[in-house]
Amino acid sequence: MKALVLAGGFGTRLRPLSCTRPKLLIPVANQPVIDWTLRDLSTHGVDTVILAVNYMAEAFVRYLGPTKFNMGILYSREERPLGTGGPIRRAEGFLKDGDPFLVLNGDVISSIDYHRLLEFHRENGGLATIALHEVPDPSRFGAVELDSRDRVRRFVEKPKPGEEPSNLVNAGIYVFDPKVIEYIPEGRSVSTELEVFPRLAEEGQLYGFEFRDLWIDIGMPEDYLKANALLLGRENGTKFGQDVVLDSSTEVLAPSVIGNNVKIGGKSLIGPNCTIADNVEIGNGCRIENSIIFPGTIIGDFTSVKGAIIGENVMLERWVKIEEE
Ligand code: GDD
Ligand code: MG
């Protein structure tokens, strides 16, 4: 089975983190977002992934190379951004050989059961199936109205508050029959959400598959922290990398993950929900909770960090207090 992963967005809402790396290479629980997705796809029988890249394309090629988790990785590089639909048209040659394929928004982390999604798609016989997740505020997403047979009656991208058809939103995970490619105009940027889904819905060819497992779009810093906590929780416990030097009077509360070559002084309390990357040094008497610390950062004695993201190679001196958000 093939999967196309949309990886070309600029990640503007995650600046400045996305100024030096594409959004999908931002680490969650010390592993880039793309790794979580690829590992899941590989355990569900995907053998080829087409990565549709644009912004900082070479960073992906450098990090992933030609294979990962036993899957072949093909890169589709865009000269200009093609939106969420254009990249599917562009990869037509790889996708139109008959079988349905998966399309994913690469900035989404989920524990969806792809087998069940594909089964649902086959049973209903529509041209496309969208995975749906319930959220309290659909205004940042695409929201749908379903009929009693799970057919999408209406698809509304970014509905204004109060105008949403329901709280079920597009999770950015689709199964497409190759015929869907014909719905995408060639040679320009196309929004699947604005141009393709409404048409498919009108023709009664679009179905919605609701799932309740973990799902999160890491579009904004607060989502990124939430994704970090959720994945740490899913992995359970605390993981330590190699060459970690931890004073015996210091405690690390689960779930947390500590990278390689990390030093933590005495009487510090780390966690829960902390991701500490490689080559980080933390002093004595520090308090760090619900936070992500990027590689190479140094944190002085008696400094506290709560609910924050600290970028790479940052120097926090002694007695610094960093509060939520
Ligand atoms: N290759 C390529 N080229 N990829 C792109 C481009 C492009 O020009 N533009 C965006 N992408 C990728 C992004 O990297 C991301 O993985 C995905 O397409 C979706 O784009 P976002 O910019 O993150 O969209 P969104 O989060 O506002 O909304 C989308 O996702 C929601 C779920 O998270 C829509 O699909 C919504 O309907 C959906 O609910
Ligand atoms: Mg997004």
Side-chain angles (χ1 to χ4, degrees), residues 296-309:
T297 278
I298 298 175
I299 298 177
D301 298 340
F302 310 110
T303 279
S304 82
V305 179
K306 289 185 185 173
I309 303 162

Side-chain angles (χ1 to χ4, degrees), residues 17 167 210 235 240 247 297 313:
L17 295 172
N167 283 42
E210 188 185 347
E235 297 295 287
F240 293 93
D247 189 278
T297 278
N313 302 322

Side-chain angles (χ1 to χ4, degrees), residues 175-246:
V175 184
F176 283 175
D177 184 279
K179 286 199 194 82
V180 172
I181 301 174
E182 290 159 26
Y183 286 68
I184 307 171
E186 210 177 345
R188 66 165 170 93
S189 171
V190 178
S191 160
T192 306
E193 296 82 356
L194 295 177
E195 298 182 55
V196 181
F197 289 154
R199 228 183 105 195
L200 285 168
E202 218 171 86
E203 294 176 13
Q205 289 291 353
L206 187 61
Y207 284 81
F209 170 79
E210 188 185 347
F211 72 105
R212 289 159 201 269
D213 316 81
L214 177 155
W215 176 80
I216 194 155
D217 168 321
I218 62 142
M220 305 204 288
E222 52 268 43
D223 306 321
Y224 177 31
L225 278 171
K226 221 186 285 164
N228 186 58
L230 281 173
L231 284 186
L232 286 172
R234 191 176 79 168
E235 297 295 287
N236 235 329
T238 296
K239 275 201 203 125
F240 293 93
Q242 288 172 347
D243 300 318
V244 173
V245 181
L246 194 73

Side-chain angles (χ1 to χ4, degrees), residues 99-293:
D99 292 327
F101 54 88
L102 290 166
V103 174
L104 310 184
N105 283 355
D107 62 341
V108 152
I109 290 180
S110 88
S111 319
I112 191 171
D113 184 338
Y114 292 104
H115 289 312
R116 282 188 51 217
L117 171 68
L118 285 156
E119 214 175 271
F120 175 96
H121 176 78
R122 276 188 216 107
E123 279 168 10
N124 286 299
L127 287 184
T129 301
I130 315 181
L132 301 172
H133 207 266
E134 198 176 316
V135 298
D137 173 18
S139 63
R140 284 169 45 205
F141 304 103
V144 302
E145 181 188 330
L146 286 183
D147 73 9
S148 57
R149 296 180 45 225
D150 294 326
R151 219 191 315 228
V152 177
R153 271 210 196 113
R154 239 168 11 115
F155 184 98
V156 188
E157 182 65 9
K158 314 267 156 62
K160 292 201 187 80
E163 290 176 18
E164 55 277 307
S166 77
N167 283 42
L168 279 180
V169 302
N170 168 19
I173 302 169
Y174 323 123
V175 184
F176 283 175
D177 184 279
K179 286 199 194 82
V180 172
I181 301 174
E182 290 159 26
Y183 286 68
I184 307 171
E186 210 177 345
R188 66 165 170 93
S189 171
V190 178
S191 160
T192 306
E193 296 82 356
L194 295 177
E195 298 182 55
V196 181
F197 289 154
R199 228 183 105 195
L200 285 168
E202 218 171 86
E203 294 176 13
Q205 289 291 353
L206 187 61
Y207 284 81
F209 170 79
E210 188 185 347
F211 72 105
R212 289 159 201 269
D213 316 81
L214 177 155
W215 176 80
I216 194 155
D217 168 321
I218 62 142
M220 305 204 288
E222 52 268 43
D223 306 321
Y224 177 31
L225 278 171
K226 221 186 285 164
N228 186 58
L230 281 173
L231 284 186
L232 286 172
R234 191 176 79 168
E235 297 295 287
N236 235 329
T238 296
K239 275 201 203 125
F240 293 93
Q242 288 172 347
D243 300 318
V244 173
V245 181
L246 194 73
D247 189 278
S248 58
S249 60
T250 273
E251 215 185 321
V252 180
L253 304 176
S256 290
V257 55
I258 313 282
N260 300 313
N261 189 32
V262 170
K263 267 193 216 133
I264 307 179
K267 294 192 178 151
S268 286
L269 183 58
I270 314 292
N273 302 324
C274 279
T275 289
I276 313 287
D278 295 350
N279 308 317
V280 168
E281 255 179 64
I282 299 172
N284 301 305
C286 291
R287 177 75 187 101
I288 301 180
E289 61 180 283
N290 294 314
S291 293
I292 303 170
I293 315 289

